[in-house]
Amino acid sequence: MSITIPVAKQQLFDFPRYWAECFGPAPFLPMSREEMDQLGWDSCDIIIVTGDAYVDHPSFGMAIIGRLLEAQGFRVGIISQPDWQSKDDFMKLGKPNLFYGVAAGNMDSMINRYTADRKVRSDDAYTPGGKGGSRPDRASLVYSQRCREAYKDVPIVLGGIEASLRRIAHYDYWQDKVRHSLLIDAKADILLYGNAERAVIEVAHRLSRGEAIADITDIRGTAFVRRDTPVGWFELDSTRIDRPGKIDKIINPYVNTQDTSACAVEQAKGPTEDAADEGAQVVQLLPHPRLERDRTVIRLPSFDKVKSDPVLYAHANRVLHLETNPGNARALVQRHGDRDVWFAPPPIPLSTEEMDYIFGLPYARIPHPAYGDAKIPAYDMIRFSVNIMRGCFGGCTFCSITEHEGRIIQNRSHDSIIREIEEIRDKVPGFTGVISDLGGPTANMYRIACKSPEIEAACRKPSCVFPGICENLNTDHSSLIGLYRKARELPGVKKILIASGLRYDLAVESPEYVKELVTHHVGGYLKIAPEHTEDGPLTKMMKPGIGSYDRFKQMFEKFSKEAGKEQYLIPYFIAAHPGTTDEDMMNLALWLKRNGFRADQVQAFYPSPMATATAMYHSGKNPLRKVTYKSDGVNIVKGERQRRLHKAFLRYHDPKNWPLLRDALKEMGRSDLIGNGKQQLIPTFQPAVEGYQSARRKNSTPAGSKKAGRVLTQHTGLPPRETGAARKPGRKGNRPSR
């Protein structure tokens, strides 16, 4: 049976418009009743509540969803960073006619507020002035409660990355326990996950036609509550870890073995009169889960089970990740008390035409005027950047991009991207001719996809590039090279930088691309993230071996020399990732010393909701393989001392870490690495120096500092510039190059 990626019934721009389209687009989506009056609105059809400052730019979720709904004819208001201590702020735009759309913002609110060591950050890049504390913990949950208090009969639609990654029973790092699906805790009516544009449009139009929110249970990329499995659906039981059981006698394979009445009929049935003469039996084709995937639901272990059994949690996580390909994913269901939370299959990827439509909406591209001259650090980082694609097929287990945006790359056209660059050049205040980034979740996955749509639709691999690049993956970078060349030839554009994450194991497949990148698009430094050097942690991360980094480094240095440029790679590494031993970190430290790197900022593993590595952290099992109670465990770094030790190995050069490292090396039987020789890691004697203070001040800017709200540089030990001048803080990509 041929399988292909399903096609959307309607493109985003094909829906019939709501009657309020006569009002036309607003300069900014209103944040006050005064703005609504100026627009001639008596009410809002939809009100979006968000934990971020309202920036009318396509890098901010509330702007994309708001402008998209506006283009459908709906009147959309914004309540940004409301006072959550009462319902008053949630009523300032009046009662929405259709629904509240609730999102925590561009980041999970807990990751936004706390460091990997669970310390409170004093800054928030998505808040005017960069001040911390402008949103509550678990903002989606709190905002939903206040919306319900404001107008109890108004439907609540959850969305954004916090809702997307907490849609299922999930391990919460900050409470060190498994929490309910956010849909249950927030008491919302429906949750949209992943790329939610198509889902939110359909929900809005169906509500506008008078359909009840409880009846909307057939939209992809949604989660909702049901009491029972509907008639006509097949339910596959995956509530327990598979184990050998009784082997049944082979029966007719065309019979649905879950339908006991059909089995009884098959066993009792004799040959028909016509067939009896020939000694044959009539074959009946009955519905079966293998043939009816769109009517099949997989029952996961219940919340109560995964809460009390970490191995079952790992099993549920594995099943969830195996059902993420929109071409073959089945619905999932998980019991929460006396209710079932259903998860429809993932949304259908957006076409290039739809991506162009979204990014071509009339964004003002600046923060709302209500903020005055206040700086919003996240906006300053992206205001001269252009997002060219969505999605990532890398599948890194510590990252949640794939779970949220999908692994199928969704691309914009060259024309759409060039138009946005021209708009930045002509309209955005302060443009000096430099585009700070032309990228996305992964800069060089643009236009890269499976060679066969049928194979892509049927594939269940979590990564297209691990343990090696799939033979079915087209690694052609020519379209991206052509885009770079078009962009830098635009009048008024002096420089196009690439600051988003770079998948270097893909890049080395195209030396022409690496040459293009190094010759024209590197601003002196290129961040790249091998994450580790040892196979133990790398296999748990689903990252390539350090050999790929070495090959890319050779190309980088070769083409930099040919271009007559002095440029440097800055490698990033993760400490304390599941699967990492003390010996692994020691070997990484030795590699860093051999190669002359001194890391200033240390990146420790952060267990984000729903990530595969988080399931490893919580369960001690590896969901990348079949999970059983007897399957091999994963080494987990949880104790405070061991986490400090792993970070100390990354900063082996800091005298403040030497006492801890000396004790550890002695315990490991590696006292030979203590001494003053070139092959030794740390010296024997402790100098009388005060503690080292990193440039990032433990990943947060002290309250009251004159630098509050400013994103400081993240520096790795590099030779000083020839001028001797300090390097100015520069724009950083979404993530270090991978």
Side-chain angles (χ1 to χ4, degrees), residues 459-618:
C459 183
R460 291 165 66 82
K461 289 177 62 179
S463 171
C464 300
V465 288
F466 182 84
I469 296 175
C470 178
E471 61 182 9
N472 296 308
L473 187 68
N474 178 8
T475 59
D476 182 13
H477 284 62
S478 59
S479 182
L480 187 56
I481 294 169
L483 174 62
Y484 288 177
R485 290 172 178 170
K486 287 180 185 178
R488 67 173 184 262
E489 289 172 0
L490 288 173
V493 175
K494 301 175 184 176
K495 185 81 172 177
I496 302 283
L497 296 174
I498 308 302
S500 290
L502 183 79
R503 191 78 196 199
Y504 54 86
D505 51 346
L506 278 178
V508 297
E509 297 294 310
S510 175
E512 183 185 6
Y513 171 75
V514 179
K515 183 175 182 178
E516 193 80 15
L517 173 76
V518 171
T519 305
H520 301 287
H521 302 287
V522 175
Y525 307 114
L526 180 67
K527 292 187 299 180
I528 199 162
E531 309 296 7
H532 219 286
T533 58
E534 306 305 298
D535 288 342
L538 286 173
T539 56
K540 306 305 181 295
M541 298 174 182
M542 289 208 298
K543 291 285 292 186
I546 197 67
S548 294
Y549 167 81
D550 292 335
R551 289 192 294 275
F552 181 80
K553 183 174 183 289
Q554 290 173 0
M555 285 188 180
F556 181 89
E557 292 173 346
K558 174 178 180 289
F559 293 130
S560 292
K561 185 176 181 180
E562 289 178 2
K565 296 184 175 183
E566 188 175 0
Q567 301 181 144
Y568 302 97
L569 282 179
I570 303 178
Y572 271 58
F573 299 92
I574 293 180
H577 190 279
T580 309
T581 64
D582 296 350
E583 288 74 16
D584 290 330
M585 293 307 300
M586 178 191 70
N587 291 331
L588 172 54
L590 291 170
W591 184 93
L592 289 170
K593 185 168 185 179
R594 283 197 305 270
N595 288 273
F597 288 113
R598 294 188 171 193
D600 178 59
Q601 186 190 10
V602 173
Q603 183 174 261
F605 170 65
Y606 205 149
S608 58
M610 213 174 83
T612 298
T614 302
M616 295 181 193
Y617 177 89
H618 173 56

Side-chain angles (χ1 to χ4, degrees), residues 263-578:
C263 286
V265 170
E266 171 65 20
Q267 293 164 1
K269 184 177 59 181
T272 64
E273 292 181 3
D274 293 335
D277 295 337
E278 302 174 5
Q281 195 170 12
V282 174
V283 172
Q284 290 186 335
L285 290 177
L286 298 177
H288 191 274
R290 291 186 181 277
L291 304 177
E292 304 283 342
R293 296 183 75 88
D294 59 342
R295 304 291 290 177
T296 299
V297 62
I298 300 174
R299 181 166 291 280
L300 299 173
S302 69
F303 165 74
D304 289 332
K305 291 291 187 183
V306 298
K307 180 182 180 181
S308 59
D309 189 337
V311 180
L312 273 180
Y313 180 91
H315 165 72
N317 182 272
R318 174 173 169 79
V319 174
L320 173 74
H321 284 83
L322 287 173
E323 300 296 330
T324 56
N325 183 345
N328 60 37
R330 292 162 288 192
L332 303 173
V333 62
Q334 186 176 51
R335 196 75 171 170
H336 283 64
D338 60 348
R339 293 171 293 176
D340 281 341
V341 179
W342 276 60
F343 310 94
I348 296 168
L350 298 172
S351 66
T352 294
E353 293 76 19
E354 290 175 306
M355 288 285 286
D356 290 353
Y357 173 66
I358 289 169
F359 284 88
L361 294 169
Y363 305 100
R365 303 193 70 85
I366 57 176
H368 191 280
Y371 302 122
D373 296 330
K375 297 291 185 182
I376 301 174
Y379 168 68
D380 289 342
M381 290 172 67
I382 56 84
R383 63 177 174 157
F384 303 131
S385 68
V386 179
N387 194 330
I388 65 175
M389 44 76 73
R390 282 187 190 170
C392 179
F393 49 72
C396 299
T397 61
F398 52 80
C399 179
S400 300
I401 292 173
T402 301
E403 284 89 340
H404 184 58
E405 295 190 7
R407 64 174 182 161
I408 295 175
I409 305 303
Q410 299 150 86
N411 311 278
R412 296 173 64 187
S413 69
H414 283 197
D415 289 344
S416 171
I417 295 165
I418 295 299
R419 279 196 301 271
E420 185 171 354
I421 296 174
E422 291 173 333
E423 191 169 333
I424 292 172
R425 177 195 64 192
D426 299 337
K427 296 182 180 179
V428 178
F431 182 64
T432 60
V434 178
I435 296 295
S436 58
D437 189 25
L438 207 60
T442 305
N444 63 322
M445 287 187 181
Y446 181 76
R447 295 284 173 200
I448 292 182
C450 190
K451 297 174 183 176
S452 165
E454 290 77 18
I455 292 175
E456 181 179 67
C459 183
R460 291 165 66 82
K461 289 177 62 179
S463 171
C464 300
V465 288
F466 182 84
I469 296 175
C470 178
E471 61 182 9
N472 296 308
L473 187 68
N474 178 8
T475 59
D476 182 13
H477 284 62
S478 59
S479 182
L480 187 56
I481 294 169
L483 174 62
Y484 288 177
R485 290 172 178 170
K486 287 180 185 178
R488 67 173 184 262
E489 289 172 0
L490 288 173
V493 175
K494 301 175 184 176
K495 185 81 172 177
I496 302 283
L497 296 174
I498 308 302
S500 290
L502 183 79
R503 191 78 196 199
Y504 54 86
D505 51 346
L506 278 178
V508 297
E509 297 294 310
S510 175
E512 183 185 6
Y513 171 75
V514 179
K515 183 175 182 178
E516 193 80 15
L517 173 76
V518 171
T519 305
H520 301 287
H521 302 287
V522 175
Y525 307 114
L526 180 67
K527 292 187 299 180
I528 199 162
E531 309 296 7
H532 219 286
T533 58
E534 306 305 298
D535 288 342
L538 286 173
T539 56
K540 306 305 181 295
M541 298 174 182
M542 289 208 298
K543 291 285 292 186
I546 197 67
S548 294
Y549 167 81
D550 292 335
R551 289 192 294 275
F552 181 80
K553 183 174 183 289
Q554 290 173 0
M555 285 188 180
F556 181 89
E557 292 173 346
K558 174 178 180 289
F559 293 130
S560 292
K561 185 176 181 180
E562 289 178 2
K565 296 184 175 183
E566 188 175 0
Q567 301 181 144
Y568 302 97
L569 282 179
I570 303 178
Y572 271 58
F573 299 92
I574 293 180
H577 190 279

